[in-house]
């Protein structure tokens, strides 16, 4: 499963080159292979996918600006980065403590992305789920 992400990176690079030459032939095929993952809490509704060696939360995802006190104390640097990203995304304004992302945000791992989205420490294997409600653990580790 993880080798698919390396292949996806090759396809992304190939698509960039072909598109710049005027041949947009990989867009449709690429969209079909992209696995979408969801992180949902009371106020957070984030959508993401693997793109090469990054885990990307999509533009339009809704992020609760609140974070747990234990996560803030345990991961102050992550909390600081989260606040900087949210401040840049919302222009200083949040509606009902929710920020809607205005661009895709890339993270080095699903755990980092999950912490950002949920505002707390998460286990990506159980936090991120596909549209059928299956966890990453069920799909990637157990092979369902």
């Amino acid at each position: 499963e993880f080798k698919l992400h390396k292949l996806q990176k090759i396809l992304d690079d190939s698509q960039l080159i072909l598109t710049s030459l005027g041949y947009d032939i990989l867009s449709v095929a690429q969209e079909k292979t992209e696995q979408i993952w969801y992180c949902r809490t009371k106020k957070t509704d984030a959508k993401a996918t693997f793109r090469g060696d990054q885990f990307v939360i999509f533009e339009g995802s809704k992020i609760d600006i609140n974070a747990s006190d234990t996560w803030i104390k345990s991961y102050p640097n992550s909390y600081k980065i989260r606040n900087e990203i949210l401040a840049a995304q919302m222009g200083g304004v949040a509606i009902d403590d929710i920020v809607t992302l205005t661009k895709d945000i890339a993270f080095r791992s699903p755990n980092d992305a999950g912490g950002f989205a949920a505002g707390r420490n998460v286990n990506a294997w159980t936090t991120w789920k596909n549209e059928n409600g299956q966890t990453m653990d069920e799909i990637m580790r157990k092979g369902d």
Side-chain angles (χ1 to χ4, degrees), residues 64-80:
D64 184 356
I65 64 169
N66 299 303
S68 78
D69 292 335
T70 55
W71 185 71
I72 294 169
K73 290 176 187 173
S74 299
Y75 301 94
N77 193 45
S78 295
Y79 177 67
K80 178 183 173 201

Side-chain angles (χ1 to χ4, degrees), residues 87-141:
Q89 290 289 312
M90 66 182 174
V93 178
I95 299 171
D96 294 326
D97 291 339
I98 298 171
V99 173
T100 302
L101 299 183
T102 58
K103 64 179 182 174
D104 293 351
I105 307 292
F107 295 89
R108 63 181 180 199
S109 75
N111 276 332
D112 289 342
F116 170 82
R120 60 182 167 82
N121 193 27
V122 300
N123 177 349
W125 292 107
T126 57
T127 300
W128 291 100
K129 299 177 181 177
N130 67 11
E131 68 264 1
N132 298 323
Q134 296 171 298
T135 65
M136 281 186 164
D137 184 52
E138 292 171 322
I139 301 297
M140 297 176 134
R141 285 184 175 170

